[in-house]
Amino acid sequence: MATYDIIIIGAGHNGLVAAYYLARAGLKTLVLERREIVGGGSVTEEFHPGFRCSTLAGSPGPLLPRIIKDFQLERRGVEFITPDVRVWAPNTNGNSICIYENTKRTAAELTNISRADAERYPEFISTFARIGRALAPTLTMTPPDIEDLSAGELWQLGRLGWAIRGLGKKDEYRLLRCGPMAVADLAAEWFETESLRALVAARGISGAFAGPWSAGTSAAVLQQAANGGNPFAPSTLVKGGMGALTKALALTAMEAGAEIRTGADVINIQVKDGKAAGVVLESGEEIPAWTTVSSHDPGITVLELLDPGELEPSYRNHMQNYRAHGTVAKVQLALSALPEFIGLTASTAKEKLSGRIHIGPEIDYLERAFDAAKYGEISPQPYLDIRIPSLSDSSLAPNGAQVVSIHAQFAPYHLKDGDWNSRREELGDIVVKTVSNYAPNLRDLIVARQVITPLDLEQTYGLRRGHIHHGEQSLDQFFAFRPLIGWAQYRTPIKGLYLCSAGTHPGGGITGGPGTNAAREVISDFKRGNRK
Ligand SMILES: Cc1cc2nc3c(=O)[nH]c(=O)nc-3n(C[C@H](O)[C@H](O)[C@H](O)COP(=O)(O)OP(=O)(O)OC[C@H]3O[C@@H](n4cnc5c(N)ncnc54)[C@H](O)[C@@H]3O)c2cc1C
C-alpha cells in the first residue's frame, strides 16, 4: 500500500507550488529534492565568504498574482523590491537608454535620442499591455489537446478568441503577425534608434538558442507582456535573493501538510501494470505513491527516470526531439566597491544601476553573439544582462562591497572545441572583459568570481543540456505543443505520472504557472477517481 497520494520530484518553485495546492486539497504529498536546498532555479547561495546572490534566476517572472495571494507571501515576510529603473542600456561612447517603470519618464528621456521614438514609446507600452491582458488567461489554462478537442476545451478556446476579438482589428492583426516574426523586425517596426531596437530584441532571445533575426523570437515578447503587462523583463528583486521566495513557498506547502525531503535524488520512476507506482532514490530506498508529479525537466523525466520499455516508442521518440540547447552561463562577481560605468556620475549611478543593465547595443551585436553559439563557440562579445542586487539589498554583501550577477549569452552547451571544465575561466575572462568596456575599473575591484557554465547548470541544477527553461520556448514548443502535441495537459502516457515543470505550459520563468495548472489537473483526476 502506498503511504503517499503524491510524490513530487524536485523542489523547484513549480514543485513547491504544486505541493501546496495538492496538500491543500487533502492529498498526502511528499516532495523529494536532490540538492540539500529547495528552490531549483530560484535560490540564494553564498559564492564567496560574505557575498550572496540569486545564483540563477534574478527576478520573479513575475509570479502569478494568485500565488502571491494564496501563499500570503507578504505576510510571510517576502519583500519584493521594484526599482524605478527596469533596464539601463549603456553604450561605450557614454550614451545610454533607460527604461523606467514610469512610461512618461522614459518617453521624456528618449527625446534626447529620438523625438520619433519618444512619441511612439507610450503606444508601444500600451499596445503590449492590452495584448498581454488578452493573452494572460492562457497562463492559467490547461492547453487543449488539439488532436482531440473536448467541448470544455472548445469553450476555453472560444473565450480566448473572444478576448482577442475584443482587442479590436488593429491589435488583433498586430498580435497575429507578431508571434512568428523575428524580434529584430518587430523592434524595427516600432523604433528607429538602434540601441532601443536591440533592447526590445533582447527579450526575444533571452535564454533561447536564437538570435534577433530568428523567426518566432517575437513570441517571447508577447509572453512577457502576458506575464507582467510589459514587453520588457521586470527588474523586481526579492530581499535576501530568490531563495527567500522559495523558502517561503516551501514553508507554506509544509504548513498545508506537504512533507519535503532534501538530499533525496530520484533515480527511477517505478511503473506497475502501466501505472506509476512510486520512485526509487539513489540510496536504494523505494517510496510507493499513487501518483508521481515531476517538476524535473520533461526530457530527463521521460528519457532517463523511466525504464525505456514502459513507454510507447513514439512518445519516447517525440521526447527525444524536444529541443533544449542551453546557451546561458552565469558569472557572479564579488566586488570591493561599485564599479564606475562610462556616462554615469556618482549621483546618477545608484539609480541607473539598480535595475537590469543590458549589454548588447545593436541588433547585429546580438546576432553575432548568437552566431558563435550556432557553431559551438563561446561568443567573444556576449550579450549580457547584469544585475547589482546589493545596491538595493545590502544583506547580500559586506558593507560597501557589491555583488554583480551576470547572465551571459551565448555560451553553447555543446562546444566545438574542448569542454566546459577546461574553458570555464576563458568564459569568465570574456565576460569581465566585455563589462570592462563599459566599466573600465571593474577588474581592480574583483575580490572573487564564480563562473557557472551550461554544464554546471546540467550537473548541479539538473537542467538538461543546460537549458534554463527545461526546453526551447519556440513556437513549435509553445502552449498546446509544450512539451509535446497531444501531451500538453500535464499528463503522460503512464497513468498517474504527470509533469509540472517549466518544460510544460506556460513555460519557464518564476511564475508558478506550470505547478498551479498541473496541480489542478491532478486534483481533478483524483476527484474523478481515475487515479487511486
Ligand atoms: C541562469 C538562469 C537565469 C534565469 N533567470 C531568470 C530570471 O531572471 N527570471 C525568471 O523568471 N526566470 C529565470 N530563469 C528561469 C527559471 O529559473 C526557471 O524557469 C525555473 O527555475 C523553472 O522552475 P521549475 O520549478 O520548473 O524547475 P527547477 O527550478 O529547475 O526545479 C527543478 C528541481 O528538481 C530538482 N531535481 C532535479 N533532478 C532531480 C532528481 N532526480 N530527484 C530529485 N530532485 C531533482 C532540482 O534540483 C530542482 O530543485 C533563469 C534560469 C537560469 C538557469
Side-chain angles (χ1 to χ4, degrees), residues 9-15 32-35 37 39-42 55-61 264-267 295-296 305 328-330 356 407 457 460-463 468-470 500-502 507-511:
I9 304 175
H13 84 289
N14 278 313
L32 298 169
E33 166 57 45
R34 186 173 78 132
R35 297 192 73 207
I37 53 169
S42 178
T55 320
L56 304 183
S59 288
D265 189 356
V266 174
I267 56 163
S295 79
H296 200 349
L305 297 185
V328 175
K330 201 91 198 265
R356 292 174 183 266
H407 171 116
L457 292 181
T460 308
Y461 299 95
L463 300 166
I468 73 165
H469 296 312
H470 296 201
C500 79
S501 89
I510 310 298
T511 65

Short mmCIF file of all heavy atoms in Angstrom, two decimals, residues 9-15 32-35 37 39-42 55-61 264-267 295-296 305 328-330 356 407 457 460-463 468-470 500-502 507-511, ligand 1:
data_model
loop_
_atom_site.label_atom_id
_atom_site.label_comp_id
_atom_site.label_asym_id
_atom_site.label_seq_id
_atom_site.Cartn_x
_atom_site.Cartn_y
_atom_site.Cartn_z
N ILE A 9 8.69 15.12 -7.69
CA ILE A 9 10.15 15.06 -7.89
C ILE A 9 10.63 16.49 -8.10
O ILE A 9 10.24 17.15 -9.07
CB ILE A 9 10.51 14.19 -9.11
CG1 ILE A 9 9.93 12.80 -8.97
CG2 ILE A 9 12.03 14.15 -9.29
CD1 ILE A 9 10.14 11.92 -10.20
N GLY A 10 11.47 16.97 -7.17
CA GLY A 10 12.07 18.29 -7.33
C GLY A 10 11.34 19.36 -6.54
O GLY A 10 10.12 19.47 -6.61
N ALA A 11 12.12 20.14 -5.79
CA ALA A 11 11.56 21.26 -5.03
C ALA A 11 11.96 22.59 -5.65
O ALA A 11 12.37 23.51 -4.96
CB ALA A 11 11.98 21.18 -3.57
N GLY A 12 11.88 22.66 -6.99
CA GLY A 12 11.96 23.97 -7.64
C GLY A 12 10.66 24.70 -7.33
O GLY A 12 9.76 24.13 -6.69
N HIS A 13 10.54 25.94 -7.78
CA HIS A 13 9.34 26.68 -7.36
C HIS A 13 8.07 26.02 -7.87
O HIS A 13 7.05 26.03 -7.18
CB HIS A 13 9.44 28.16 -7.76
CG HIS A 13 9.02 28.44 -9.17
ND1 HIS A 13 9.75 28.05 -10.26
CD2 HIS A 13 7.92 29.04 -9.66
CE1 HIS A 13 9.13 28.41 -11.35
NE2 HIS A 13 8.00 29.03 -11.02
N ASN A 14 8.12 25.40 -9.08
CA ASN A 14 6.90 24.75 -9.58
C ASN A 14 6.52 23.53 -8.75
O ASN A 14 5.34 23.29 -8.50
CB ASN A 14 7.07 24.37 -11.06
CG ASN A 14 6.80 25.56 -11.97
OD1 ASN A 14 5.80 26.27 -11.79
ND2 ASN A 14 7.69 25.80 -12.92
N GLY A 15 7.52 22.76 -8.33
CA GLY A 15 7.24 21.61 -7.48
C GLY A 15 6.62 22.05 -6.17
O GLY A 15 5.68 21.43 -5.65
N LEU A 32 10.45 15.40 -3.07
CA LEU A 32 11.81 14.86 -2.98
C LEU A 32 12.76 15.75 -3.78
O LEU A 32 12.57 15.92 -5.00
CB LEU A 32 11.84 13.43 -3.53
CG LEU A 32 10.97 12.43 -2.77
CD1 LEU A 32 10.86 11.12 -3.54
CD2 LEU A 32 11.54 12.18 -1.37
N GLU A 33 13.72 16.33 -3.11
CA GLU A 33 14.65 17.25 -3.78
C GLU A 33 16.07 16.68 -3.70
O GLU A 33 16.54 16.34 -2.63
CB GLU A 33 14.58 18.64 -3.14
CG GLU A 33 15.70 19.60 -3.51
CD GLU A 33 15.85 19.84 -5.00
OE1 GLU A 33 14.83 20.04 -5.68
OE2 GLU A 33 17.01 19.81 -5.49
N ARG A 34 16.71 16.65 -4.84
CA ARG A 34 18.06 16.08 -4.95
C ARG A 34 19.10 16.90 -4.18
O ARG A 34 19.97 16.36 -3.52
CB ARG A 34 18.40 16.09 -6.43
CG ARG A 34 19.67 15.43 -6.82
CD ARG A 34 19.73 15.39 -8.31
NE ARG A 34 20.11 16.68 -8.83
CZ ARG A 34 21.04 16.88 -9.75
NH1 ARG A 34 21.66 15.85 -10.27
NH2 ARG A 34 21.34 18.07 -10.18
N ARG A 35 19.00 18.24 -4.26
CA ARG A 35 20.00 19.08 -3.61
C ARG A 35 19.70 19.20 -2.11
O ARG A 35 18.66 18.74 -1.65
CB ARG A 35 20.02 20.48 -4.25
CG ARG A 35 20.42 20.45 -5.72
CD ARG A 35 20.70 21.84 -6.21
NE ARG A 35 21.95 22.36 -5.70
CZ ARG A 35 22.21 23.67 -5.52
NH1 ARG A 35 21.29 24.57 -5.79
NH2 ARG A 35 23.37 24.07 -5.06
N ILE A 37 19.27 22.03 -0.71
CA ILE A 37 18.40 23.19 -0.51
C ILE A 37 17.25 23.13 -1.49
O ILE A 37 17.37 22.56 -2.58
CB ILE A 37 19.14 24.54 -0.69
CG1 ILE A 37 19.87 24.60 -2.04
CG2 ILE A 37 20.11 24.79 0.44
CD1 ILE A 37 20.38 25.99 -2.39
N GLY A 39 14.43 25.06 -4.02
CA GLY A 39 14.38 26.28 -4.85
C GLY A 39 14.71 26.07 -6.31
O GLY A 39 14.27 26.84 -7.16
N GLY A 40 15.50 25.04 -6.65
CA GLY A 40 15.85 24.81 -8.06
C GLY A 40 16.53 26.03 -8.65
O GLY A 40 17.59 26.44 -8.19
N GLY A 41 15.92 26.63 -9.67
CA GLY A 41 16.50 27.81 -10.32
C GLY A 41 16.29 29.08 -9.52
O GLY A 41 16.76 30.15 -9.91
N SER A 42 15.59 28.98 -8.40
CA SER A 42 15.28 30.17 -7.60
C SER A 42 15.91 30.01 -6.21
O SER A 42 15.25 29.64 -5.24
CB SER A 42 13.75 30.31 -7.51
OG SER A 42 13.38 31.38 -6.71
N THR A 55 21.57 32.74 -7.39
CA THR A 55 22.57 32.10 -8.25
C THR A 55 22.10 32.05 -9.70
O THR A 55 22.88 32.29 -10.61
CB THR A 55 22.83 30.66 -7.77
OG1 THR A 55 22.87 30.65 -6.36
CG2 THR A 55 24.10 30.10 -8.34
N LEU A 56 20.84 31.70 -9.93
CA LEU A 56 20.36 31.56 -11.32
C LEU A 56 19.35 32.66 -11.61
O LEU A 56 19.73 33.76 -11.97
CB LEU A 56 19.79 30.15 -11.55
CG LEU A 56 20.77 28.99 -11.22
CD1 LEU A 56 20.15 27.65 -11.53
CD2 LEU A 56 22.10 29.13 -11.94
N ALA A 57 18.05 32.42 -11.44
CA ALA A 57 17.07 33.47 -11.72
C ALA A 57 17.29 34.63 -10.76
O ALA A 57 17.50 34.43 -9.57
CB ALA A 57 15.66 32.93 -11.58
N GLY A 58 17.21 35.86 -11.33
CA GLY A 58 17.45 37.03 -10.50
C GLY A 58 16.18 37.77 -10.12
O GLY A 58 16.14 38.49 -9.13
N SER A 59 15.13 37.59 -10.93
CA SER A 59 13.85 38.28 -10.70
C SER A 59 12.72 37.32 -10.92
O SER A 59 12.80 36.48 -11.83
CB SER A 59 13.66 39.41 -11.71
OG SER A 59 14.49 40.48 -11.44
N PRO A 60 11.63 37.43 -10.16
CA PRO A 60 10.47 36.60 -10.48
C PRO A 60 9.93 36.97 -11.86
O PRO A 60 10.07 38.12 -12.28
CB PRO A 60 9.45 36.97 -9.39
CG PRO A 60 10.22 37.70 -8.35
CD PRO A 60 11.42 38.30 -9.01
N GLY A 61 9.28 36.01 -12.49
CA GLY A 61 8.88 36.08 -13.90
C GLY A 61 7.96 37.14 -14.44
O GLY A 61 8.10 37.48 -15.58
N ALA A 264 17.47 14.00 -1.55
CA ALA A 264 16.75 12.79 -1.99
C ALA A 264 16.72 12.77 -3.51
O ALA A 264 15.87 13.42 -4.14
CB ALA A 264 15.33 12.80 -1.42
N ASP A 265 17.68 12.05 -4.09
CA ASP A 265 17.85 12.04 -5.55
C ASP A 265 17.04 10.88 -6.15
O ASP A 265 17.35 9.71 -5.90
CB ASP A 265 19.35 11.86 -5.84
CG ASP A 265 19.69 12.05 -7.30
OD1 ASP A 265 18.76 12.23 -8.11
OD2 ASP A 265 20.90 11.99 -7.63
N VAL A 266 16.04 11.20 -6.92
CA VAL A 266 15.21 10.16 -7.54
C VAL A 266 15.94 9.62 -8.77
O VAL A 266 16.32 10.40 -9.65
CB VAL A 266 13.83 10.74 -7.95
CG1 VAL A 266 13.02 9.70 -8.72
CG2 VAL A 266 13.08 11.24 -6.72
N ILE A 267 16.13 8.32 -8.81
CA ILE A 267 16.83 7.77 -9.99
C ILE A 267 15.90 6.94 -10.87
O ILE A 267 16.24 6.59 -11.99
CB ILE A 267 18.07 6.93 -9.60
CG1 ILE A 267 17.68 5.79 -8.65
CG2 ILE A 267 19.17 7.80 -9.01
CD1 ILE A 267 18.74 4.71 -8.58
N SER A 295 8.65 17.68 -11.35
CA SER A 295 8.97 19.08 -11.67
C SER A 295 10.38 19.13 -12.25
O SER A 295 10.98 20.19 -12.39
CB SER A 295 8.87 19.96 -10.43
OG SER A 295 10.00 19.83 -9.61
N HIS A 296 10.89 17.98 -12.57
CA HIS A 296 12.17 17.85 -13.25
C HIS A 296 11.89 18.08 -14.74
O HIS A 296 10.76 17.99 -15.20
CB HIS A 296 12.67 16.42 -13.02
CG HIS A 296 14.13 16.25 -13.22
ND1 HIS A 296 14.93 17.20 -13.79
CD2 HIS A 296 14.95 15.20 -12.94
CE1 HIS A 296 16.17 16.75 -13.83
NE2 HIS A 296 16.21 15.54 -13.32
N LEU A 305 14.43 8.75 -16.26
CA LEU A 305 13.91 8.22 -15.00
C LEU A 305 12.94 7.05 -15.21
O LEU A 305 12.64 6.31 -14.28
CB LEU A 305 13.23 9.32 -14.18
CG LEU A 305 14.14 10.47 -13.71
CD1 LEU A 305 13.38 11.44 -12.81
CD2 LEU A 305 15.37 9.95 -12.98
N VAL A 328 23.13 29.64 -22.03
CA VAL A 328 23.33 30.67 -21.00
C VAL A 328 24.40 30.22 -20.00
O VAL A 328 24.46 29.06 -19.61
CB VAL A 328 22.00 30.92 -20.24
CG1 VAL A 328 22.22 31.89 -19.08
CG2 VAL A 328 20.94 31.44 -21.18
N ALA A 329 25.22 31.19 -19.59
CA ALA A 329 26.15 30.97 -18.48
C ALA A 329 25.92 32.09 -17.48
O ALA A 329 25.28 33.10 -17.80
CB ALA A 329 27.58 31.01 -18.98
N LYS A 330 26.40 31.88 -16.29
CA LYS A 330 26.22 32.91 -15.28
C LYS A 330 27.59 33.22 -14.67
O LYS A 330 28.37 32.30 -14.40
CB LYS A 330 25.27 32.35 -14.21
CG LYS A 330 24.58 33.37 -13.36
CD LYS A 330 23.24 33.85 -13.87
CE LYS A 330 22.87 35.16 -13.20
NZ LYS A 330 22.03 35.03 -12.05
N ARG A 356 18.00 46.20 -14.35
CA ARG A 356 18.87 45.38 -15.21
C ARG A 356 19.81 46.29 -15.97
O ARG A 356 19.46 47.43 -16.28
CB ARG A 356 18.02 44.62 -16.24
CG ARG A 356 17.15 43.55 -15.64
CD ARG A 356 16.24 42.94 -16.70
NE ARG A 356 15.36 41.97 -16.09
CZ ARG A 356 15.62 40.66 -16.02
NH1 ARG A 356 16.72 40.16 -16.55
NH2 ARG A 356 14.77 39.85 -15.44
N HIS A 407 24.15 37.41 -16.41
CA HIS A 407 23.57 36.37 -17.27
C HIS A 407 24.23 36.56 -18.63
O HIS A 407 24.12 37.63 -19.23
CB HIS A 407 22.06 36.65 -17.31
CG HIS A 407 21.27 35.88 -18.28
ND1 HIS A 407 20.28 35.00 -17.89
CD2 HIS A 407 21.24 35.87 -19.62
CE1 HIS A 407 19.70 34.48 -18.94
NE2 HIS A 407 20.25 34.99 -20.01
N LEU A 457 25.00 23.97 -15.10
CA LEU A 457 23.53 24.07 -15.00
C LEU A 457 22.92 22.68 -15.08
O LEU A 457 21.93 22.38 -14.41
CB LEU A 457 22.96 24.97 -16.10
CG LEU A 457 23.30 26.46 -16.01
CD1 LEU A 457 22.66 27.24 -17.16
CD2 LEU A 457 22.85 27.04 -14.67
N THR A 460 24.76 20.44 -11.71
CA THR A 460 24.42 20.88 -10.34
C THR A 460 22.93 21.18 -10.21
O THR A 460 22.33 20.88 -9.19
CB THR A 460 25.23 22.15 -9.98
OG1 THR A 460 26.59 21.87 -10.23
CG2 THR A 460 25.04 22.54 -8.51
N TYR A 461 22.35 21.77 -11.24
CA TYR A 461 20.97 22.26 -11.09
C TYR A 461 19.96 21.40 -11.85
O TYR A 461 18.76 21.71 -11.85
CB TYR A 461 20.89 23.74 -11.52
CG TYR A 461 21.78 24.59 -10.66
CD1 TYR A 461 23.08 24.92 -11.06
CD2 TYR A 461 21.36 25.03 -9.41
CE1 TYR A 461 23.92 25.67 -10.24
CE2 TYR A 461 22.18 25.77 -8.58
CZ TYR A 461 23.46 26.09 -9.00
OH TYR A 461 24.29 26.82 -8.19
N GLY A 462 20.42 20.36 -12.52
CA GLY A 462 19.51 19.40 -13.15
C GLY A 462 18.87 19.88 -14.43
O GLY A 462 17.86 19.32 -14.85
N LEU A 463 19.44 20.91 -15.07
CA LEU A 463 18.84 21.42 -16.30
C LEU A 463 19.43 20.69 -17.50
O LEU A 463 20.62 20.86 -17.80
CB LEU A 463 19.08 22.93 -16.42
CG LEU A 463 18.50 23.75 -15.26
CD1 LEU A 463 19.05 25.17 -15.25
CD2 LEU A 463 16.98 23.77 -15.34
N ILE A 468 17.85 26.79 -19.65
CA ILE A 468 17.32 27.46 -18.45
C ILE A 468 15.81 27.30 -18.31
O ILE A 468 15.27 27.52 -17.24
CB ILE A 468 17.72 28.95 -18.38
CG1 ILE A 468 16.97 29.81 -19.39
CG2 ILE A 468 19.22 29.12 -18.56
CD1 ILE A 468 17.09 31.30 -19.10
N HIS A 469 15.13 26.95 -19.40
CA HIS A 469 13.67 26.81 -19.33
C HIS A 469 13.22 25.36 -19.51
O HIS A 469 12.08 25.12 -19.92
CB HIS A 469 12.99 27.69 -20.39
CG HIS A 469 13.23 29.16 -20.16
ND1 HIS A 469 13.06 29.76 -18.95
CD2 HIS A 469 13.64 30.15 -21.01
CE1 HIS A 469 13.34 31.06 -19.05
NE2 HIS A 469 13.70 31.31 -20.28
N HIS A 470 14.08 24.41 -19.30
CA HIS A 470 13.74 22.99 -19.49
C HIS A 470 13.27 22.75 -20.93
O HIS A 470 12.39 21.94 -21.15
CB HIS A 470 12.63 22.54 -18.54
CG HIS A 470 12.97 22.59 -17.09
ND1 HIS A 470 12.29 21.87 -16.15
CD2 HIS A 470 13.91 23.28 -16.40
CE1 HIS A 470 12.79 22.11 -14.95
NE2 HIS A 470 13.77 22.96 -15.09
N CYS A 500 5.17 18.86 -14.30
CA CYS A 500 4.72 20.19 -13.82
C CYS A 500 5.83 21.23 -13.87
O CYS A 500 5.77 22.23 -13.15
CB CYS A 500 4.17 20.09 -12.40
SG CYS A 500 5.42 20.01 -11.10
N SER A 501 6.85 21.01 -14.70
CA SER A 501 7.98 21.95 -14.67
C SER A 501 7.86 23.01 -15.76
O SER A 501 6.91 23.02 -16.54
CB SER A 501 9.29 21.19 -14.84
OG SER A 501 9.61 21.08 -16.21
N ALA A 502 8.90 23.84 -15.82
CA ALA A 502 8.98 24.87 -16.85
C ALA A 502 8.90 24.27 -18.26
O ALA A 502 8.62 24.98 -19.22
CB ALA A 502 10.29 25.63 -16.69
N GLY A 507 5.51 27.47 -19.43
CA GLY A 507 6.94 27.53 -19.69
C GLY A 507 7.77 28.12 -18.57
O GLY A 507 7.34 28.17 -17.41
N GLY A 508 8.98 28.57 -18.95
CA GLY A 508 9.98 28.97 -17.97
C GLY A 508 9.72 30.33 -17.34
O GLY A 508 8.81 31.06 -17.74
N GLY A 509 10.53 30.60 -16.35
CA GLY A 509 10.36 31.83 -15.58
C GLY A 509 9.72 31.50 -14.25
O GLY A 509 8.99 30.50 -14.13
N ILE A 510 10.02 32.34 -13.27
CA ILE A 510 9.49 32.09 -11.93
C ILE A 510 8.07 32.67 -11.89
O ILE A 510 7.84 33.79 -11.43
CB ILE A 510 10.42 32.73 -10.86
CG1 ILE A 510 11.88 32.32 -11.07
CG2 ILE A 510 9.94 32.37 -9.46
CD1 ILE A 510 12.18 30.84 -10.96
N THR A 511 7.13 31.91 -12.43
CA THR A 511 5.73 32.34 -12.48
C THR A 511 4.83 31.44 -11.63
O THR A 511 3.78 31.85 -11.18
CB THR A 511 5.18 32.27 -13.92
OG1 THR A 511 5.15 30.89 -14.34
CG2 THR A 511 6.04 33.06 -14.89
C1 LIG B 1 20.94 31.22 -15.34
C2 LIG B 1 19.44 31.32 -15.24
C3 LIG B 1 18.86 32.57 -15.14
C4 LIG B 1 17.47 32.69 -15.07
N1 LIG B 1 16.91 33.93 -14.90
C5 LIG B 1 15.58 34.03 -14.67
C6 LIG B 1 15.01 35.26 -14.24
O1 LIG B 1 15.70 36.28 -14.02
N2 LIG B 1 13.66 35.30 -14.05
C7 LIG B 1 12.87 34.19 -14.21
O2 LIG B 1 11.65 34.28 -14.01
N3 LIG B 1 13.41 33.01 -14.59
C8 LIG B 1 14.74 32.90 -14.81
N4 LIG B 1 15.29 31.69 -15.12
C9 LIG B 1 14.41 30.55 -15.40
C10 LIG B 1 13.90 29.91 -14.14
O3 LIG B 1 14.92 29.74 -13.21
C11 LIG B 1 13.28 28.55 -14.49
O4 LIG B 1 12.31 28.69 -15.49
C12 LIG B 1 12.65 27.95 -13.24
O5 LIG B 1 13.64 27.73 -12.26
C13 LIG B 1 11.93 26.66 -13.54
O6 LIG B 1 11.36 26.22 -12.33
P1 LIG B 1 10.94 24.71 -12.11
O7 LIG B 1 10.41 24.62 -10.74
O8 LIG B 1 10.06 24.29 -13.22
O9 LIG B 1 12.28 23.88 -12.25
P2 LIG B 1 13.66 24.00 -11.47
O10 LIG B 1 13.79 25.33 -10.84
O11 LIG B 1 14.71 23.58 -12.43
O12 LIG B 1 13.50 22.92 -10.32
C14 LIG B 1 13.61 21.53 -10.55
C15 LIG B 1 14.09 20.90 -9.26
O13 LIG B 1 14.18 19.49 -9.43
C16 LIG B 1 15.34 19.05 -8.73
N5 LIG B 1 15.74 17.76 -9.27
C17 LIG B 1 16.33 17.53 -10.46
N6 LIG B 1 16.54 16.21 -10.62
C18 LIG B 1 16.06 15.59 -9.51
C19 LIG B 1 16.00 14.24 -9.10
N7 LIG B 1 16.45 13.26 -9.88
N8 LIG B 1 15.48 13.95 -7.89
C20 LIG B 1 15.01 14.94 -7.09
N9 LIG B 1 15.04 16.26 -7.45
C21 LIG B 1 15.56 16.57 -8.65
C22 LIG B 1 16.35 20.14 -8.99
O14 LIG B 1 17.43 20.09 -8.08
C23 LIG B 1 15.47 21.37 -8.84
O15 LIG B 1 15.44 21.80 -7.50
C24 LIG B 1 16.67 31.53 -15.14
C25 LIG B 1 17.27 30.27 -15.21
C26 LIG B 1 18.64 30.17 -15.24
C27 LIG B 1 19.26 28.81 -15.28
#
